[in-house]
Amino acid sequence: MTNSFSDEYFMRQALVEARLAAEENEVPIGAVIVCGDRIIARAHNQTGRLNDPTAHAEMLAITSATASLGAKYLTDCRLYVTVEPCVMCAGAIGWAQLPALIYGAPDEKRGFTVYAPGALHPKTEVRSGIMEAECAAAIKAFFRDRR
């Protein structure tokens, strides 16, 4: 039996968002922000729909979460995202002072760990590889179908 509030549970919720992105012909990356055991924000990539290169899942989720809490810092929250954040998103995660970033698949081409490993807040805990195979499969299928 699975703990209903495990990292896998929340990553499954992020994968739901990633599927919504794919259905909208967006790069299938999804994110959820959790405070305690409650999801306070969910988002997926919408760069095409919004005609905005900054409309990444993480950015939209952070904006939604800060609005939900009425605070600019997310110091009691965790961000779950299906793919390793890019440098821009890592910077926003750092500025939001999120204490935990949990992601599924690495991004060797655009991920922050390659280009800006110091972008996060120094106290941010990073856990990677959560449901990595499922997260990677969503991205691979999306780009394979477009070739």
Side-chain angles (χ1 to χ4, degrees):
M1 180 169 225
T2 303
N3 173 1
S4 62
F5 299 121
S6 66
D7 284 346
E8 289 79 14
Y9 172 82
F10 292 117
M11 190 60 72
R12 279 189 197 90
Q13 298 305 306
L15 279 164
V16 167
E17 289 295 319
R19 281 191 286 281
L20 291 173
E23 289 170 9
E24 295 171 9
N25 204 29
E26 299 277 1
V27 175
I29 297 176
V32 297
I33 294 182
V34 177
C35 281
D37 286 327
R38 189 175 70 113
I39 295 173
I40 63 162
R42 21 173 93 243
H44 55 273
N45 276 5
Q46 294 187 45
T47 59
R49 178 178 179 206
L50 298 176
N51 201 26
D52 179 355
T54 69
H56 290 195
E58 302 94 322
M59 301 293 279
L60 297 171
I62 289 169
T63 298
S64 179
T66 56
S68 173
L69 294 177
K72 77 177 193 177
Y73 299 118
L74 301 173
T75 55
D76 294 323
C77 302
R78 301 181 310 280
L79 169 65
Y80 291 83
V81 62
T82 56
V83 176
E84 176 186 349
C86 70
V87 173
M88 173 185 69
C89 292
I93 293 163
W95 286 114
Q97 297 183 16
L98 276 151
L101 164 64
I102 301 95
Y103 67 87
D107 184 350
E108 290 92 15
K109 292 182 181 178
R110 297 280 184 192
F112 81 96
T113 57
V114 173
Y115 296 102
L120 300 176
H121 189 275
K123 293 182 180 179
T124 300
E125 173 192 358
V126 177
R127 295 194 302 272
S128 62
I130 305 300
M131 298 185 67
E132 181 176 347
E134 295 90 333
C135 294
I139 289 285
K140 289 176 185 172
F142 178 82
F143 286 111
R144 180 186 62 239
D145 293 346
R146 273 138 191 84
R147 288 189 188 114

